[in-house]
Amino acid sequence: MMRITNKIIKYTGLVLVFTILSCDSYLDVNENPNSPEDAPISGLMINSTYESALNVYRVADITSNYVQYLASPNPASSSDTMEPISNDNTWFRLYNVMTDLTVIIEKAEEQGANHYTGAAQILMAFNLAMGVDIFGDMPFTESFTFETVTPAFDDDQQLYTTIMDFLNQGIANLQQETTVSMGDDDFIYQGDVSKWMALGNMLKARYMVHTGASASEILQAVDNGFQSNDDDAMVNFFEQDINPWANVARRNANLLLGGWISEQFIQALDGTSYPTIDPRLALMVGTTDDDEFVGTVNGAGRGNAAEQGERSTLIEDQFYTTFDSPILIATYSEQKFIEAEAAFSVDKARSYQAYLDGITAHMEMLEVAQTEIDAYLADPSVSMGEAAFTMNDIFKEKWVALFLHPETWNDARRFDYQYKDMDLPANLNSDLNGQFIRRVPYPDNEISRNGENVPSVTLLDRIFWDAN
């Protein structure tokens, strides 16, 4: 794979410099491809789809300890104890992709390449939402021009309006004729426009459920969204650039410790917190040398446990940690749980069926044996019946199905962290006053470069949709 050496430099509170990936078989809009004047939209789409998936990992790397998927083997680790951490790289990478997408939209509109425009608008909504959901107010309106090097911060609630506008515009553009069609430069769907439209609707449902939109609006988006696991939005990795969670597992095996599994997650699936053993556990995390699942207490570290063999960790060659495992952007399983939540108060029968379908879809994605799927669903603590079914059941199963996905932190805050047996970590940051974290701080680089505009926040200040 060749690299185009031209660089696009823009300011979004910090200088953004990125190198665009391209291949010689892809569209080249330059008069002289050996001396490119600017980046072709095809090369930009390669970079944008690939880096959008990596941004899922980058944000999840921040949030997975907060929702107690992972726990640090070191006591009082800042990731566990919810200390303020400067997430400069994640901020930079989100803006890096959004800068690419701004250029794609501008160039595609000039060329009448409506499908590129639509896909880029959907990815813009997705990356912007990831940023807003963890940071709140962000620079956007003034971020992608040369008019200022100190862009103003836009209100988080207004940015959600922008996100929904991008999704609606993206879906509309994907339905138009196009002068140029996407293909293998689209690492998510390889140019399948119908799947891009389904993703746009699925994301509409995701963000509307955050804001408490009406059930009818959310369910309409669901109906136009994913129809099966085949529609899942993901980017697969390859031998030269392995899945980042696989890299965490590999480094841990080499005693660069990381990817240790929280006791909370283990006990939620091993029959301790809930009556039944979940067959997915063995497909998601590793066992000890004694072939047992043993988690690590968040904030407490590994104690007297050895560096290997006495605690469960991410291990190589499972669904989430094979070298070429996909990074999941959005899944049919998640959409089913969104449907279950939205329908709960207006059509409980639909809600209950969607909840069961969400479990099944995730188990089928992990390739759980059908006999084990049937046995799990037959357990009365899982299939409790429509009358006994509660919102807690939806959030618990969605938490399992979205393992290592940053959307779970949005759910945890909306749910006020009320997962069964989820306790505050040991050695909790004293500034949190005995409460769970609600947002991450603004990056140090942004404060130093654009401090006059950076809002003053604490870790307990809430994103607008978390206000109640």
Side-chain angles (χ1 to χ4, degrees):
M1 186 169 285
M2 299 171 62
R3 293 185 182 271
I4 297 176
T5 58
N6 58 300
K7 294 179 180 178
I8 298 172
I9 304 176
K10 293 196 175 186
Y11 198 89
T12 61
L14 60 149
V15 177
L16 300 177
V17 182
F18 58 91
T19 303
I20 312 302
L21 294 172
S22 185
C23 289
D24 54 13
S25 61
Y26 294 142
L27 172 69
D28 194 331
V29 298
N30 297 295
E31 293 182 4
N32 180 359
N34 295 316
S35 181
E37 298 172 1
D38 57 15
I41 56 175
S42 184
L44 289 163
M45 184 59 71
I46 292 170
N47 195 60
S48 296
T49 50
Y50 180 72
E51 288 292 329
S52 291
L54 284 177
N55 280 343
V56 174
Y57 163 76
R58 291 168 182 136
V59 178
D61 191 45
I62 298 168
T63 64
S64 288
N65 291 63
Y66 298 163
V67 296
Q68 298 182 8
Y69 289 142
L70 304 181
S72 175
N74 302 313
S77 171
S78 57
S79 58
D80 270 352
T81 60
M82 304 179 179
E83 298 283 345
I85 301 170
S86 181
N87 298 293
D88 293 298
N89 182 62
T90 300
W91 178 272
F92 172 85
R93 295 295 183 175
L94 288 168
Y95 275 106
N96 206 6
V97 173
M98 289 191 289
T99 301
D100 276 17
L101 293 168
T102 299
V103 178
I104 292 177
I105 292 168
E106 291 173 352
K107 293 172 72 68
E109 286 178 344
E110 292 172 358
Q111 299 173 36
N114 290 320
H115 293 175
Y116 278 93
T117 303
Q121 288 169 324
I122 288 171
L123 287 177
M124 181 71 85
F126 172 66
N127 282 279
L128 179 57
M130 278 196 290
V132 173
D133 287 340
I134 61 173
F135 292 111
D137 296 356
M138 295 180 72
F140 189 80
T141 304
E142 298 181 354
S143 288
F144 304 102
T145 70
F146 291 106
E147 295 177 3
T148 178
V149 295
T150 55
F153 278 61
D154 295 321
D155 175 75
D156 55 359
Q157 188 166 2
Q158 183 57 47
L159 286 172
Y160 250 63
T161 300
T162 301
I163 289 163
M164 296 305 293
D165 288 344
F166 271 121
L167 291 173
N168 287 325
Q169 293 164 14
I171 293 167
N173 278 310
L174 288 163
Q175 297 177 71
Q176 304 300 314
E177 293 185 359
T178 187
T179 57
V180 183
S181 297
M182 297 180 293
D184 288 343
D185 53 346
D186 163 18
F187 279 11
I188 298 173
Y189 285 131
Q190 294 73 53
D192 190 324
V193 173
S194 64
K195 290 186 185 295
W196 272 105
M197 289 190 288
L199 172 60
N201 280 291
M202 189 280 175
L203 292 176
K204 284 178 64 176
R206 176 191 285 176
Y207 304 135
M208 284 192 290
V209 84
H210 291 178
T211 60
S214 70
S216 60
E217 289 179 293
I218 298 170
L219 293 174
Q220 181 180 10
V222 164
D223 290 340
N224 292 320
F226 294 163
Q227 303 302 309
S228 72
N229 284 348
D230 291 339
D231 293 334
D232 289 353
M234 64 180 72
V235 169
N236 288 288
F237 286 76
F238 38 89
E239 184 177 353
Q240 290 78 13
D241 197 0
I242 69 172
N243 177 287
W245 291 116
N247 206 31
V248 170
R250 180 175 67 174
R251 290 199 305 264
N252 187 71
N254 292 325
L255 296 181
L256 297 173
L257 303 185
W260 287 44
I261 308 302
S262 171
E263 181 183 75
Q264 159 69 9
F265 188 74
I266 296 293
Q267 293 187 353
L269 278 71
D270 73 355
T272 300
S273 296
Y274 296 90
T276 187
I277 297 173
D278 194 319
R280 289 171 287 187
L281 183 59
L283 302 176
M284 299 167 78
V285 306
T287 60
T288 67
D289 288 346
D290 294 329
D291 202 28
E292 297 177 341
F293 293 102
V294 180
T296 299
V297 176
N298 287 89
R302 71 180 190 271
N304 295 324
E307 292 179 328
Q308 284 184 339
E310 296 182 22
R311 293 289 185 271
S312 292
T313 67
L314 294 176
I315 60 172
E316 296 177 58
D317 296 325
Q318 294 189 310
F319 177 84
Y320 295 96
T321 55
T322 300
F323 278 17
D324 59 355
S325 289
I327 288 290
L328 303 170
I329 293 170
T331 64
Y332 177 63
S333 176
E334 179 194 345
Q335 182 182 282
K336 277 296 174 183
F337 291 115
I338 293 170
E339 179 184 355
E341 182 181 348
F344 187 83
S345 61
V346 297
D347 187 345
K348 198 172 182 185
R350 176 175 180 175
S351 175
Y352 182 59
Q353 187 59 54
Y355 153 82
L356 296 173
D357 291 345
I359 297 170
T360 301
H362 184 242
M363 287 189 162
E364 289 177 346
M365 185 178 75
L366 297 186
E367 299 184 347
V368 176
Q370 188 61 51
T371 54
E372 293 182 315
I373 296 176
D374 294 342
Y376 185 76
L377 291 177
D379 191 282
S381 68
V382 177
S383 295
M384 68 293 295
E386 181 184 328
F389 168 58
T390 70
M391 194 68 75
N392 290 14
D393 300 312
I394 298 171
F395 275 88
K396 179 262 180 176
E397 286 291 348
K398 189 179 180 186
W399 176 70
V400 176
L402 266 67
F403 184 60
L404 300 179
H405 196 286
E407 178 61 19
T408 308
W409 192 36
N410 303 329
D411 286 341
R413 288 174 287 170
R414 293 191 305 115
F415 193 46
D416 203 25
Y417 291 91
Q418 294 179 40
Y419 300 100
K420 187 177 181 182
D421 297 335
M422 182 173 282
D423 297 322
L424 288 164
N427 300 303
L428 177 70
N429 172 14
S430 60
D431 290 340
L432 290 173
N433 299 319
Q435 302 176 60
F436 284 99
I437 191 172
R438 292 289 174 171
R439 70 185 306 138
V440 297
Y442 289 107
D444 291 343
N445 281 350
E446 184 67 11
I447 293 170
S448 65
R449 296 174 188 272
N450 192 21
E452 291 185 1
N453 288 318
V454 175
S456 177
V457 298
T458 75
L459 301 184
L460 291 175
D461 290 335
R462 300 182 179 219
I463 310 302
F464 81 96
W465 47 252
D466 187 33
N468 296 326

